[in-house]
């Protein structure tokens, strides 16, 4: 407590509270004015914060300096009733007149309620449309099959000659540009350095793989040409393209599935078949 | 006076007077650690208010639209309605960005306050009988807060949240046997689907907030019924609560806290950018994000996913994918342990008694050790979630850093737990009130588990006085060494007052029972005058600022009934 006596401390406190509430009014006016002048986010936030802070400060001083703090005691009676009262309650719920005494009927009632409960779970199945295949089929199947043309995410077909060493070309199946499971990439590797032949085959060093990380499904966007690695931005898994996209660092445990690649008479890239394995994150029924 | 008329009208219809008197006189312990629950509550209020405003503009749909607005780089581009409306909220709705950012900051604050509040309850043993049920409600609210934070974060359909959503989808997919069904049912098919965003939305703005409102009500009703626990101290007993009354002191301070939380939320919302979705760009399933970190309360999961070695194994020829153990496993085990903790501890200690007096953490070194273990474990996970950033800043290769963190997550929690355990024992054994005061003898006692002989405190000299006020109400006051405590309310008859005193302080002598001339003892430290003056000052300042002439009549006195 500052000041020369209780009263002088109080006048000081009152002055501070009055000032704080005046700041609140200014803040509120500032907010309204900033809004009217176009609503600059910083000014709006600052003025509103100042307005609330004025209230917070003023009320804190009011509560601490002008009002009694502590010094009170409240009794806390035992909540539990006496055993006798509890017995009375129990007798009222399952005494001789109680419907609960008819055990057989209660059993049937529970069975009925349970049956309704189970029956009402069925409509939850509608969350997955019946027009869609069952989950495992969906997860195993992608739109890639023999003859499907590879296009960029913007829908442009890709030629073999577009694939330059040093960068990857992201491709999706023509007509399915926003499918979640289909994104793949095509890259030109140095065929002499291949440690392991790509299971899906290559076109003179040009290979295609699923873009989805086998850890948790993020697109593995980063190609490091010097090492021939694909890096996942999510949890730093790395896949070695010269070893058929084997995982060599990070939490991913499976290689990226390959996509058999072909080139048509017009020079455009097409798939020669589906991915060598279901793409992306694993699941229980994955082969 | 108008308030009296309102009271009379309400009481005549609903009989509110006695509840009202009890409520205003309710005593709250004055300890700073009791504020965190309130902060969580006020952050939730901020979320409700700002969130409701956002719903007026946000369009929860991934159908394609053309963004047409003030943000030049995206103007005219084809994006989803969800993304377009979030960008519009940020650039084209006046004050929209403030509210949007304030909502996000409030969410971070909300979860943080819940966590700190839970730590307070944990380390002081406030979850012990009779408060186990409220612990269970609290743990459920923590889980729901994480869920709602995640659904909110995922709705704008930007590249970052889409990637986060895919990781969650993959994590659900990893659950053995039922994973593919749960994931595809929840998402309406294989990720991404047009069903996802509307489902996230209804869960985020209706289902989960509704459950929250119900649980918060239950939580508070249980507190009112059981009354607060309190730290040990003079006059604090198993059958009383010592502190400030709701009205006037506590209410004023609590509203101060409310406005303080709002001030922080709007200051951050206006001044500190958060989740600039226009920079991340719209979601596309074939686009990779640049490295980015999730909100802090889901980052532990991200860290766990990074730390776990690349192990996938087969059970009966079926695959258990890599995310299962670190994400589903750690989360499930953590929440099961949290739920079970009151019963686990009871089983360990055999303590079945009801507790109204809190423990200091040192009184239960085992619990301190468990808490320290868990905190360290999750701290390492949080750090791991930023391992790419740390690697970039320190130029340590990320693989080496990861190895180190993998070792740390196994070892460090045990080390910290052991240190915490022995420190708690040393503090308990000696008389030190803080770490700095620990003596060598205390430390020895802590290591050996031997206790230092302490003389039991002398039975304190205490008594209770009961008296009658001139208005014929009764009050009592407890006198102990260096402390006086007043009954929180005025009682209508002597017996009622006596019963209350005997409940609060069983066995304490009650004296000066009905002084001959009805001596009136002054109530402690009560100064009604200045409050009225300050109210007058407020009105005066407000009017002056608004440019009106203040008419200096003192506003009618608002009686605070003693
Ligand atoms: C209960 C706790 C809640 C939490 C933890 C929470 C969290 C979040 C988060 C993190 C976001 C992302 C904001 C961003 O884009 O940066 C968000 C968005 C949103 N929230 Fe909430 N929220 C909560 C309650 C509510 C409530 C009660 C409502 C409405 C009644 C609401 C309405 C919205 C809307 C409409 C959005 C999308 C707008 C946007 O992203 O810009 N939220 N929420
Ligand atoms: S999703 Fe690629 S490392 Fe986790």
């Amino acid at each position: 407590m500052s000041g020369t006596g209780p009263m002088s401390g109080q006048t000081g406190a009152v002055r501070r509270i009055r000032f704080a509430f005046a700041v609140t009014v200014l803040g509120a006016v500032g907010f309204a004015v900033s809004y009217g002048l176009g609503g600059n986010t910083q000014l709006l936030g600052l003025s509103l914060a100042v307005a609330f802070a004025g209230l917070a400060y003023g009320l804190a001083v009011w509560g601490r300096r002008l009002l009694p703090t502590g010094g009170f005691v409240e009794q806390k009676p035992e909540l539990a009733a006496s055993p006798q009262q509890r017995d009375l309650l129990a007798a009222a719920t399952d005494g001789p007149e109680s419907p609960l005494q008819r055990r057989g009927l209660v059993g049937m009632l529970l069975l009925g309620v349970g049956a309704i409960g189970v029956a009402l779970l069925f409509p939850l199945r509608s969350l997955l449309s019946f027009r869609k295949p069952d989950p495992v089929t969906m997860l195993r199947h992608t739109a890639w099959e023999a003859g499907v043309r590879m296009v960029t995410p913007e829908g442009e077909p890709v030629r073999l000659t577009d694939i330059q060493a040093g960068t990857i070309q992201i491709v999706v199946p023509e007509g399915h540009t926003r499918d979640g499971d289909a994104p793949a990439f095509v890259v030109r590797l140095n065929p002499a350095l291949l440690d392991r032949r790509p299971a899906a085959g290559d076109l003179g060093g040009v290979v295609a793989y699923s873009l989805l990380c086998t850890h948790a499904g993020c697109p593995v966007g980063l190609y490091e040409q010097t090492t021939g690695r694909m890096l996942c931005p999510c949890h730093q898994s790395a896949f070695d393209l010269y070893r058929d996209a084997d995982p060599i660092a990070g939490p991913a445990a499976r290689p990226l599935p390959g996509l058999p690649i072909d080139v048509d008479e017009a020079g455009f890239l097409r798939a020669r078949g589906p991915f060598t394995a279901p793409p992306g994150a694993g699941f229980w029924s994955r082969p | 006076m108008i308030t009296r008329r309102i009271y009379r009208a309400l009481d005549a219809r609903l009989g509110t007077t006695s509840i009202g008197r009890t409520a205003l006189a309710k005593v709250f312990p004055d300890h700073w650690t009791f504020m965190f629950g309130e902060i969580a509550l006020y952050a939730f209020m901020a979320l409700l208010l700002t969130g409701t405003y956002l719903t007026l503009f946000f369009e929860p749909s991934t159908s394609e639209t053309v963004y047409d607005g003030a943000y030049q780089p995206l103007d005219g581009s084809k994006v989803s309605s969800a993304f377009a409306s979030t960008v519009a909220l940020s650039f084209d709705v006046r004050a929209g960005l403030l509210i949007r950012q304030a909502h996000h900051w409030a969410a971070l604050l909300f979860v943080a306050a819940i966590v700190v509040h839970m730590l307070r309850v944990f380390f002081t043993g406030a979850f012990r009988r009779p408060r186990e049920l409220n612990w269970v409600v609290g743990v459920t609210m923590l889980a729901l807060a994480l869920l709602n934070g995640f659904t909110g974060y995922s709705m704008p359909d930007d590249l970052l949240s889409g990637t986060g959503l895919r990781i969650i989808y993959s994590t659900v997919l990893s659950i053995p046997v039922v994973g593919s069904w749960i994931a595809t049912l929840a998402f309406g098919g294989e990720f991404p689907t047009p069903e996802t965003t509307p489902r996230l939305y209804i869960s985020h703005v209706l289902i989960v907030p509704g459950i929250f409102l119900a649980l918060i009500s239950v939580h508070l009703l249980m507190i009112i019924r059981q009354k607060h626990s309190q730290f040990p101290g003079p006059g604090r007993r198993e059958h009383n609560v010592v502190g400030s009354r709701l009205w006037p002191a506590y209410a004023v301070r609590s509203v101060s806290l409310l406005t303080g939380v709002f001030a922080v939320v709007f200051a951050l919302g206006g001044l500190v950018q958060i989740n600039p979705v226009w920079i991340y760009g719209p979601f596309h399933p074939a686009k990779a994000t640049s490295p980015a970190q999730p909100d802090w309360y889901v980052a532990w999961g991200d860290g766990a996913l990074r730390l776990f070695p690349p192990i996938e194994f087969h059970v009966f020829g079926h695959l258990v994918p890599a995310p299962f153990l670190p994400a589903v496993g750690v989360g499930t085990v953590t929440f099961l342990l949290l739920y079970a903790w009151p019963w686990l501890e009871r089983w360990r200690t055999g303590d079945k008694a009801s507790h109204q007096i809190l423990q200091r953490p040192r009184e239960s070194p085992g619990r301190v050790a468990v808490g320290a273990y868990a905190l360290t474990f999750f701290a390492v996970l949080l750090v791991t979630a930023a391992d790419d950033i740390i690697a970039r800043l320190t130029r340590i290769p990320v693989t080496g850093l990861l190895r180190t963190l993998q070792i740390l997550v196994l070892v460090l929690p045990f080390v910290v737990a052991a240190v915490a355990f022995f420190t708690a024992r040393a503090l308990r054994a000696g008389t030190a009130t803080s770490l700095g005061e620990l003596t060598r003898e205390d430390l020895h006692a802590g290591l050996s588990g031997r206790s230092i002989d302490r003389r039991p405190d002398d039975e304190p000299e205490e008594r209770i006085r009961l008296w009658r006020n001139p208005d014929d109400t009764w009050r009592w006051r407890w006198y102990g060494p260096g402390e006086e405590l007043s009954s929180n309310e005025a009682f209508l008859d002597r017996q009622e007052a006596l019963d209350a005193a005997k409940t609060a302080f069983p066995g304490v002598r009650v004296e000066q029972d009905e002084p001959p001339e009805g001596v009136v003892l002054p109530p402690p430290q009560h100064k009604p005058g200045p409050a009225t003056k300050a109210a007058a000052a407020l009105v005066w300042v407000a009017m002056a600022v608004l440019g009106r002439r203040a008419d200096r009549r003192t506003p009618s006195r608002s009686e605070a009934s003693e």
Side-chain angles (χ1 to χ4, degrees), chain B residues 247-451:
Chain B
W247 186 258
Y250 202 81
V252 170
R253 261 149 52 201
S254 198
V255 177
S256 160
L257 190 58
L258 165 83
T259 46
V261 167
F262 277 37
V264 169
V265 163
F266 285 114
L268 288 168
L271 301 178
V272 189
Q273 185 183 71
I274 188 164
N275 203 17
V277 294
W278 55 92
I279 296 177
Y280 308 145
F283 174 70
H284 189 287
K287 285 222 178 83
T289 48
S290 54
Q293 270 55 42
D295 277 351
W296 74 267
Y297 49 84
V298 275
W300 62 267
D302 204 57
L305 282 172
R306 290 172 195 223
L307 266 193
F308 198 70
I311 296 176
E312 293 191 333
F313 52 94
H314 287 80
V315 178
F316 305 124
H318 287 284
L319 179 72
V320 179
F324 178 66
L325 289 177
V328 184
V330 170
T332 311
V333 169
T334 305
F335 272 96
L336 286 182
L337 283 179
L338 280 175
Y339 275 119
W341 183 259
W343 290 276
L344 286 179
E345 196 183 281
R346 175 175 316 164
W347 167 68
R348 255 317 264 123
T349 60
D351 176 5
K352 294 204 180 77
S354 188
H355 295 279
Q356 300 295 339
I357 301 287
L358 296 172
Q359 291 173 310
R360 304 182 73 188
R362 66 187 65 168
E363 290 171 57
S364 179
R367 192 196 294 142
V368 169
V370 171
Y373 181 95
L375 283 179
T376 316
F377 180 77
F378 280 100
V380 176
L381 292 189
L382 278 185
V383 170
T384 310
D387 65 354
D388 46 338
I389 296 181
I390 298 172
R392 190 155 12 96
L393 293 181
T394 59
R395 307 245 165 81
I396 302 172
V398 90
T399 39
L401 189 64
L402 195 64
R403 232 327 96 73
T404 318
L405 287 164
Q406 282 171 336
I407 296 169
L408 278 183
V409 82
L410 295 178
V411 177
L412 198 60
F414 282 110
V415 175
V416 176
V419 171
F421 179 77
F422 290 116
T423 313
R425 278 226 303 220
L427 282 168
R428 185 179 61 173
T431 52
T433 53
S434 69
L435 287 181
E437 291 176 15
L438 278 175
T439 63
R440 184 172 295 180
E441 193 194 1
D442 293 342
L443 291 178
H444 274 297
L447 284 176
S448 63
R450 175 174 55 79
S451 63

Side-chain angles (χ1 to χ4, degrees), chain B residues 142-154:
Chain B
L142 172 65
L144 288 176
L146 299 185
L147 175 70
N148 225 39
F150 189 80
T151 52
Y153 185 83
S154 302

